[in-house]
Amino acid sequence: MSRVCSVCGKGQVAGNNVSHSHRKTKRTFQVNVQKVTYKKDGKEVNDYVCARCLKSDKIERV
């Protein structure tokens, strides 16, 4: 499975590398996800959660 935040659904996005001469080539921006154990509906779950969700206390870590 791809690395996507299980709380907010954030995943990788596409963009461009832009050189000094302004030529563009495709690239991807990876999301900052960490594999954590947290409580979901009273159960302990191991899943990927993005850094923003961890910092804003959207989950209860175990």
Side-chain angles (χ1 to χ4, degrees):
M1 177 168 171
S2 61
R3 294 195 172 199
V4 176
C5 178
S6 63
V7 178
C8 65
K10 184 187 292 184
Q12 76 176 12
V13 293
N16 287 315
N17 280 324
V18 182
S19 69
H20 179 69
S21 62
H22 216 65
R23 292 177 56 138
K24 296 180 178 83
T25 56
K26 284 300 207 179
R27 63 158 295 179
T28 58
F29 293 91
Q30 301 294 329
V31 65
N32 183 8
V33 290
Q34 311 295 322
K35 190 146 189 155
V36 295
T37 303
Y38 65 97
K39 287 196 175 192
K40 183 176 185 179
D41 300 327
K43 297 179 181 177
E44 291 185 6
V45 179
N46 289 322
D47 219 345
Y48 289 110
V49 178
C50 70
R52 180 180 286 183
C53 291
L54 286 172
K55 286 173 69 175
S56 62
D57 291 329
K58 290 188 178 180
I59 62 165
E60 182 184 341
R61 269 182 114 156
V62 176

